[in-house]
Amino acid sequence: MGCTATDVITAVRAAAAVIQEHRDELVRLDQAIGDADHGENMKRGFTAVLARLEAEPPETPGKVLKLVATTLISTVGGAAGPLYGTAFLRAASAVGDTQELDCDRVAKALQAALDGVIARGKAAVGDKTMVDALTPAVAAAFRAEGTVAAALSAAADAAAEGANSTVPMVAHKGRASYLGERSAGHMDPGARSTALLLRSFADTAAKS
């Protein structure tokens, strides 16, 4: 069974609730190595996404993803807005005008999102960024077989491991890199929010 625009909208709404729930956690993570604004910025962005979805629900999965992208770019401050916006925009392009997403299309959308984040942020695995969560997530999604839920569940598990792997790392990108060795011992907030979103998407897909 494919994933329709309605399914994607449901997933985005659930993800917005997860971001709201974890807002303070993301703030604390960013207080340690950044500007302490990641949680609030993500909450503001997804709150704006909900308002736009309510006003005019898009009719294809790709258009839903594009709406998320443009809204995050225009409302989320710091590095997260451009990075997440680019990720969702590239995913939307990969999806195109298809009416339903299957396992393979979801994996390709995640790959496009990762490519966009790397192009925008110039980060690599090991730099202590969201790339450390998204890279293994993409690989896991491509290895998964069968349903969209299976692909997203595998991606979410891998992203969680990837986010945990950032704890001992020394940051080489963004505000955290200014701390040098002192950035070690803290999870990257962008990697954590990536893992949270993918887990939320997976949980929603499992219910449909």
Side-chain angles (χ1 to χ4, degrees):
M1 183 176 175
C3 186
T4 66
T6 299
D7 295 327
V8 179
I9 290 171
T10 298
V12 171
R13 285 177 173 152
V18 167
I19 291 297
Q20 168 83 27
E21 178 185 351
H22 290 270
R23 180 259 181 202
D24 291 350
E25 176 196 354
L26 294 174
V27 167
R28 287 194 299 272
L29 289 174
D30 205 24
Q31 277 176 336
I33 59 174
D35 293 330
D37 60 358
H38 187 60
E40 182 59 31
N41 284 343
M42 292 293 286
K43 175 190 167 187
R44 181 172 62 250
F46 274 91
T47 299
V49 167
L50 291 179
R52 287 197 61 191
L53 286 174
E54 194 69 31
E56 191 174 350
E59 63 272 19
T60 66
K63 287 182 179 178
V64 177
L65 295 174
K66 185 174 181 180
L67 179 149
V68 174
T70 56
T71 305
L72 294 182
I73 289 170
S74 64
T75 60
V76 178
L83 290 171
Y84 269 116
T86 299
F88 278 99
L89 198 59
R90 292 287 189 93
S93 296
V95 167
D97 295 327
T98 187
Q99 294 295 315
E100 292 191 5
L101 305 181
D102 58 13
C103 182
D104 182 63
R105 187 79 68 159
V106 166
K108 289 177 178 175
L110 289 173
Q111 178 69 67
L114 172 61
D115 292 344
V117 169
I118 291 173
R120 187 76 191 228
K122 312 300 182 190
V125 171
D127 283 340
K128 199 182 180 88
T129 72
M130 62 192 293
V131 170
D132 290 296
L134 197 49
T135 298
V138 170
F142 274 110
R143 288 194 300 269
E145 296 180 359
T147 65
V148 169
L152 288 173
S153 180
D157 288 345
E161 290 185 16
N164 287 334
S165 78
T166 67
V167 173
M169 292 179 183
V170 173
H172 297 291
K173 292 289 180 180
R175 176 74 64 175
S177 66
Y178 301 165
L179 297 176
E181 296 290 335
R182 287 179 295 147
S183 64
H186 305 281
M187 184 181 295
D188 177 70
R192 175 59 174 155
S193 60
T194 297
L196 286 170
L197 288 174
L198 285 171
R199 173 50 59 197
S200 179
F201 293 154
D203 289 346
T204 301
K207 296 172 187 174
S208 61

